[in-house]
Amino acid sequence: MPHIAQAAESVITKHGRDATRLLQILIDLQQALGYLPPAGISAVAAGLDLPRARVEGVAGFYSFLHLEPVGEYRILFSDNITDRMLGSLELRDALCRKLWVEQGKLSEDGLISIDVTSCTGMCDQGPAMLVNGLPITRVDHQRINEIAELVRTRVPLSAWPRAFFHVDDNIRRRDALLGQSFVSGSAIEAAIRLGRDQWIDEMRASRLRGRGGAGFTTCVKWEACRDAPGSDKVVVCNADEGEPGTFKDRVLLTRCADRVFEGMVLAAWATGANRGFMYLRGEYAYLRPALEAELARMRAAGLLGRTILGEAGFDFDIEIHLGAGAYVCGEESALIESLEGKRGTPRIRPPFPVTHGYLGRPTVVNNVETLTKTTLIALGGGAAFAATGTAQSTGTKLLSVSGDCAFPGIYEYPFGVRIDRVLEDCGAGDAHMVQVGGASGVTIAGYEFSRSIAFEDVPSAGAFMVFDSSRDPFDVAHNFVDFFTHESCGFCTPCRIGTSLLKGYMDKLARGYGAKKDLADIEWINRLLRNTSHCGLGSTAPNPVVDTLAKFRPAYERRLRTLDFEPAFDLDAALAAARRITGRDDPAAHLDSGDKQHTEGER
Amino acid sequence: MSQLDKKPRLRVATTSLAGCFGCHMSFLDIDEHLFELARLVEFDRSPLTDIKECGPCDIGLIEGGVCNAENVHVLRAFRANCKTLVAVGACAINGGLPAQRNHLELEACLREVYEHREGMDAPGVPNDPELPLLLDKVHPIHEIVRVDYFIPGCPPSGETIWKFLSDLIAGRTPRLSHELLRFD
C-alpha cells in the first residue's frame, strides 16, 4: 500500500502537518483515494503525531467520510420531506432497480452505491441528489434513466450533461438586500471612514439580530469579542446551512459572495480580528471554486490581506473550510470544534466562543445572512436599517419557500410579514400547514396563518415549507424525527437515546401498531429531550412532534389500533418459526392479537 | 380507629418469566423487612404461595423477559389483574441474558441443541403441545404489555426492592436514589 502512504504524506504536507486541519486533510485524502482505508488513517495519525483513535474518531463522525469502500459513482438522494413529496423515494427505488443495487450497499463490481442523505438545500428545485458531491436538481424518471445509462457506460462525471448540475437561484421577491446593487469594497470603505468605534455604534443602532435561528444581537456579540482579552481574534462565517428546508445561504453565496465576505471584513474591523474562516457545508462544496476566485479577487483589490484599503494595522484574511455532512456543526461551538479538526461535538457553555472560541481565542461566529446584512448597515447607516421590520426584529429576512406552492424560491420581506401574505405570494392556494424555521422550527396550522415572521411571534432561521391538504402532518413529523435521529452527534445520552426512542414510537405508529399509551410515552420523551439534552439539537428535536401532536392530533389518533397498549409487532407471527420447526398448529401454538385480548379485558 | 384508618392489606403477585429467579432471591434479601411486609401485604400468585393463577391484585412484580407463548399468557393475566405492574431487573427491562439468542436464528439454535449434538438417542426438536412455543425473539415485558414502573439491576438489591415497595405501599411515587439506581 505504498500509494496510500504517499497520498497521505502529500496531503499532510499540503496542509503543513497541522493537526487542527485534520478534517480538511481527511476530506482531501478521501478525494484522492475514494475512501479512507485503515492504512490511510494510520498514515495520517503517524504523519500528524496523533493517536490513531483520534483520527478514526473524526473520520467516523462525518457522514461524507467513508471508512469502507464506496462506489466509483456515489449517489445520495436528498431525503428532506420536500424531496419526498416530489417523489424522491420512488426515484431512488427506480435507480436501484435499474442498476441492480440495494440502497446503502456497494454494487459487487464496486461501480455504484446509492443512499439517502439529509436535506441538500435544493428544496425549491427538488427532488435533488448528490453525485460524488455534486448536486443534481429536478430529478425525474427521464433523468434517472439517463443517469443509469451514464453510470453503466462509466461516463466520467465531467462528461455528464451540464444541465443536470444547473442550480437556479429562484429569487422571487427582492427587498432592501437583494434589490440593491452593490459596489464591491464600498461597505468596507464606509466602515473605515466611520472608524472602528463609530462603526460599532452604527451596528448598535441597527439592532441587527442573528439570522441563523437564535436571534442573538450581533453588536453585543461583536463588542464582547472586541473587549475579550487576546489579540489574535477570529471571525467565522457559518455557512453550514443544514436546517432542512433552508437554502437562502446557498443563494447568497452564489449571488453575492462579495457581500458575504465583505461582512466578515466588517466584523473584523469591529472586533479587531485578523483571521477569518468560512465553514462551508460539504453539500455546497461545488460553490468553493467560485468562492475561492472571489477571495482572490478581493485580495487583489486590497479588500483582504495586509493593510486593507490602505488602513494601517487592518489585516484580515479568510480561509474556507469544508464540512462533511454533519448537521450539528451548524451549532457554533460544534462548528468551532470541527474547524479545529475534531468531531463536531457541541461544547459546554460558558465560556462562550466570544471569549474562548477557535483554539481558545475570542471568536465571532455569524450566519451568512447576518454578515451580508451588515454591508447594508455600513452603507445606509444603522438608523435606516432599524426603520424596517418590527420593534424587536429590524431589517428584512430571506425566506426559503418550498413545498406545495407554485413559485418556490427565495423571498425577501421586512420582518413582521404575515404568513398568509407569503402563502399568497408564493401561490400556495391549498396550504393547511407550514413548517417555519425548518425541522427544529415551528409547525403552523391554518388558524395561525395570520401570525407574523418575527422574533416576537414566529421566529425563523429561513425555512418556509408549505404542505397542502393532501399531506399527512404525521408523515412530515416522522421525516423530521428520522432526520434528528440520524444527525444526533451521540455525545449526550438524552439526545442519542431519546431521538432513537422517539423514532421507534413514530415507526410503530406508522406501521399501524399505535396505542394511546404510545402518545403518552411520546410526550414523556419529548419532555426529556427538551429539558435534559446537551445542546439545541436534542432540545429542539421533539418540536415537530410536539407541535403536530398539539395541532394535528387526529393525524396521530387515526393510527391508533387500541386505546390502551399494543405491541410493536405481531405476536402470533413471532411464533411462526417455532410452529414451522415443531410442525405444530394446535391452539396453544398460536397467540391472539392484542385487540381480542383487550376487548376481553374490557368485558 | 375509624373505618378509614383500617387499610385493607394490599395484594401482591410475583412471577418469573424468562428469568433466573435471582430477582426473587434478592427480594428475600430484604430479611427482617419480610415481617413488616407480611403485616402490610398478602400474596396472591407467587413462588411464595404456590397459587397458580393470578387474581385481582394491587401490585404485580415481574422478573424476566418474554421468551415463549406461556410467558405472554402469564404476563397478560398479570396486566389484566394488577393495578400496578412493575418490571423487576435487567431481563424484564431489556431482555437480559436470555435475549442473547436474539442475534441467532431460532431454528439454527433449536437444531443445534436438539438435533446436531452427538450421542442423542432420539434427535428432534420437542413438539409436545404441552410445551410452550418459543417466540422468535426474547422481548422486554414493556414491549408486550403496558408497564407502570421499572426497577433496574441484575438483580436489584434487596434494599432497592424494599425502598421501592415501601414507597408504593405508603402511597408515595417510588423514587430510587442515585446509589440504589444501578444497572449491574
Side-chain angles (χ1 to χ4, degrees):
Chain A
M1 286 170 277
H3 76 283
I4 293 179
Q6 242 166 40
E9 186 52 34
S10 96
V11 170
I12 293 168
T13 313
K14 181 186 142 200
H15 287 280
R17 299 199 171 269
D18 184 352
T20 66
R21 306 183 59 88
L22 177 56
L23 175 58
Q24 308 307 309
I25 289 171
L26 292 173
I27 291 171
D28 284 354
L29 183 60
Q30 176 167 286
Q31 190 71 31
L33 300 175
Y35 78 110
L36 296 170
I41 300 281
S42 300
V44 171
L48 295 175
D49 200 17
L50 288 174
R52 192 180 185 285
R54 162 83 200 283
V55 178
E56 191 169 342
V58 171
F61 183 84
Y62 296 91
S63 292
F64 289 175
L65 294 180
H66 314 297
L67 293 166
E68 302 284 333
V70 292
E72 244 171 84
Y73 297 92
R74 175 161 173 75
I75 295 185
L76 293 172
F77 282 84
S78 176
D79 199 28
N80 188 30
I81 184 73
T82 52
D83 295 288
R84 287 197 183 188
M85 281 156 43
L86 294 163
S88 64
L89 295 185
E90 191 198 327
L91 293 163
R92 173 202 63 192
D93 294 342
L95 188 60
C96 285
R97 272 197 310 275
K98 280 180 203 302
L99 291 169
W100 293 91
V101 62
E102 244 181 277
Q103 187 201 317
K105 293 203 176 139
L106 176 61
S107 65
E108 275 176 30
D109 53 2
L111 182 63
I112 180 142
S113 47
I114 299 175
D115 212 332
V116 294
T117 187
S118 300
C119 180
T120 58
M122 300 287 166
C123 321
D124 56 334
Q125 42 206 303
M129 57 159 72
L130 293 172
V131 183
N132 295 357
L134 289 178
I136 294 185
T137 57
R138 294 185 195 80
V139 178
D140 54 16
H141 279 285
Q142 192 188 332
R143 232 163 232 204
I144 288 287
N145 289 339
E146 288 171 17
I147 290 168
E149 198 49 38
L150 289 165
V151 170
R152 254 197 302 261
T153 49
R154 296 180 187 244
V155 176
L157 213 54
S158 54
W160 287 26
R162 297 324 296 160
F164 282 15
F165 303 100
H166 180 74
V167 177
D168 274 320
D169 291 339
N170 285 333
I171 296 175
R172 309 284 188 179
R173 186 180 194 281
R174 293 160 199 274
D175 209 294
L177 181 71
L178 297 173
Q180 188 196 51
S181 60
F182 180 72
V183 178
S184 175
S186 58
I188 300 177
E189 212 177 290
I192 290 179
R193 217 174 316 120
L194 287 169
R196 293 185 196 251
D197 289 339
Q198 220 193 319
W199 164 229
I200 286 253
D201 290 343
E202 290 298 329
M203 280 296 293
R204 193 178 304 113
S206 75
R207 289 182 279 130
L208 173 68
R209 294 174 68 171
R211 290 339 196 213
F216 193 79
T217 306
T218 309
C219 179
V220 174
K221 207 186 252 186
W222 287 11
E223 282 178 300
C225 180
R226 180 194 62 186
D227 299 339
S231 57
D232 39 7
K233 293 170 182 167
V234 182
V235 169
V236 178
C237 171
N238 182 346
D240 192 46
E241 185 176 48
E243 191 65 49
T246 317
F247 47 88
K248 63 180 177 67
D249 293 348
R250 184 198 81 219
V251 174
L252 288 175
L253 292 168
T254 311
R255 272 299 178 98
C256 34
D258 52 347
R259 297 187 83 149
V260 180
F261 290 133
E262 206 150 312
M264 292 179 71
V265 178
L266 292 174
W269 179 240
T271 56
N274 50 29
R275 191 152 185 208
F277 289 105
M278 171 176 279
Y279 188 90
L280 184 67
R281 73 184 300 222
E283 290 83 344
Y284 293 171
Y286 75 100
L287 293 171
R288 186 172 188 170
L291 293 172
E292 295 283 10
E294 180 58 28
L295 286 177
R297 192 198 60 76
M298 286 176 71
R299 278 183 206 114
L303 300 171
L304 282 176
R306 295 206 152 274
T307 54
I308 291 173
L309 289 182
E311 182 70 23
F314 187 14
D315 308 331
F316 181 71
D317 209 334
I318 298 169
E319 191 187 322
I320 297 175
H321 268 230
L322 276 182
Y327 167 72
V328 73
C329 289
E331 196 276 344
E332 62 174 2
S333 67
L335 184 152
I336 290 170
E337 288 282 302
S338 183
L339 272 182
E340 293 180 1
K342 303 181 195 153
R343 292 163 69 91
T345 302
R347 293 177 178 174
I348 291 169
R349 300 179 301 175
F352 290 94
V354 284
T355 58
H356 296 79
Y358 176 73
L359 300 178
R361 303 172 190 169
T363 305
V364 156
V365 183
N366 283 135
N367 175 264
V368 170
E369 187 186 350
T370 316
L371 289 166
T372 316
K373 291 280 159 67
T374 62
T375 61
L376 277 178
I377 298 163
L379 291 173
F385 185 88
T388 52
T390 66
Q392 290 171 39
S393 322
T394 54
T396 61
K397 179 81 192 98
L398 267 59
L399 301 181
S400 318
V401 178
S402 63
D404 296 312
C405 62
F407 312 108
I410 297 295
Y411 291 73
E412 184 184 14
Y413 290 101
F415 262 120
V417 64
R418 278 166 53 128
I419 287 168
D420 45 16
R421 163 81 198 278
V422 182
L423 289 171
E424 197 181 313
D425 289 355
C426 72
D430 181 33
H432 86 140
M433 180 172 119
V434 180
Q435 184 72 18
V436 178
S440 66
V442 191
T443 311
I444 298 289
Y447 62 85
E448 303 171 281
F449 286 173
S450 58
R451 294 178 68 181
S452 309
I453 307 270
F455 293 109
E456 298 93 315
D457 191 0
V458 184
S460 173
F464 191 98
M465 290 180 267
V466 183
F467 303 95
D468 70 20
S469 55
S470 71
R471 311 295 181 185
D472 189 333
F474 175 85
D475 291 336
V476 177
H478 193 187
N479 174 264
F480 292 153
V481 168
D482 285 352
F483 165 77
F484 285 117
T485 309
H486 174 70
E487 295 294 348
S488 172
C489 82
F491 172 71
C492 78
T493 312
C495 176
R496 184 181 64 247
I497 307 288
T499 50
S500 287
L501 284 176
L502 193 54
K503 176 175 159 52
Y505 281 109
M506 296 298 275
D507 290 347
K508 182 172 188 258
L509 258 68
R511 287 200 311 273
Y513 289 106
K516 200 100 179 176
K517 173 73 163 56
D518 299 331
L519 300 188
D521 284 349
I522 285 173
E523 281 165 352
W524 168 67
I525 292 169
N526 287 347
R527 276 200 303 282
L528 264 178
L529 269 167
R530 203 165 253 189
N531 298 329
T532 61
S533 293
H534 173 60
C535 81
L537 192 156
S539 60
T540 57
N543 284 0
V545 181
V546 171
D547 281 354
T548 48
L549 254 180
K551 296 170 186 176
F552 297 94
R553 201 173 180 90
Y556 287 76
E557 285 174 340
R558 77 169 65 108
R559 290 185 152 79
L560 304 185
R561 182 183 279 193
T562 74
L563 295 182
D564 183 27
F565 179 88
E566 181 69 25
F569 58 98
D570 185 338
L571 272 164
D572 190 52
L575 288 179
R579 274 197 297 271
R580 194 184 63 245
I581 301 161
T582 56
R584 280 175 54 186
D585 198 24
D586 54 286
H590 286 276
L591 280 167
D592 52 17
S593 77
D595 290 348
K596 198 175 161 210
Q597 211 255 327
H598 290 302
T599 15
E600 279 170 359
E602 278 156 28
R603 247 181 261 146
Chain B
M1 200 187 256
S2 82
Q3 201 61 29
L4 271 176
D5 293 331
K6 254 193 275 167
K7 287 189 198 150
R9 290 203 293 175
L10 298 175
R11 275 189 86 77
V12 177
T14 77
T15 191
S16 175
L17 304 175
C20 68
F21 279 95
C23 296
H24 275 83
M25 296 306 290
S26 199
F27 182 26
L28 295 179
D29 274 346
I30 66 174
D31 298 335
E32 74 276 14
H33 292 306
L34 279 170
F35 296 107
E36 204 174 331
L37 186 67
R39 280 201 311 276
L40 296 167
V41 306
E42 54 193 5
F43 282 94
D44 194 277
R45 172 177 170 158
S46 167
L48 304 171
T49 59
D50 218 22
I51 296 173
K52 302 295 184 202
E53 296 293 334
C54 180
C57 284
D58 297 287
I59 300 169
L61 304 176
I62 310 278
E63 169 193 338
V66 180
C67 77
N68 64 27
E70 189 209 10
N71 291 160
V72 174
H73 292 305
V74 172
L75 183 59
R76 281 176 170 175
F78 265 69
R79 178 69 276 179
N81 282 296
C82 302
K83 290 176 190 161
T84 302
L85 195 68
V86 186
V88 184
C91 301
I93 293 175
N94 289 318
L97 212 54
Q100 290 208 349
R101 77 160 159 91
N102 282 2
H103 67 280
L104 303 172
E105 282 252 34
L106 178 63
E107 177 156 10
C109 212
L110 286 173
R111 299 225 186 276
E112 183 69 29
V113 174
Y114 291 105
E115 286 179 1
H116 302 326
R117 271 194 309 164
E118 288 198 22
M120 305 225 305
D121 287 343
V125 178
N127 59 358
D128 192 306
E130 288 262 298
L131 296 171
L133 281 189
L134 294 178
L135 297 166
D136 53 359
K137 301 264 189 259
V138 178
H139 293 271
I141 66 170
H142 67 261
E143 290 186 0
I144 311 294
V145 298
R146 181 167 51 79
V147 175
D148 301 303
Y149 295 100
F150 301 84
I151 312 178
C154 185
S157 68
E159 200 187 344
T160 306
I161 295 174
W162 173 244
K163 170 72 169 71
F164 186 92
L165 278 180
S166 49
D167 273 353
L168 207 57
I169 291 164
R172 298 183 292 264
T173 302
R175 192 153 181 91
L176 296 174
S177 62
H178 193 67
E179 315 81 72
L180 296 181
L181 197 64
R182 49 187 294 171
F183 291 81
D184 58 348

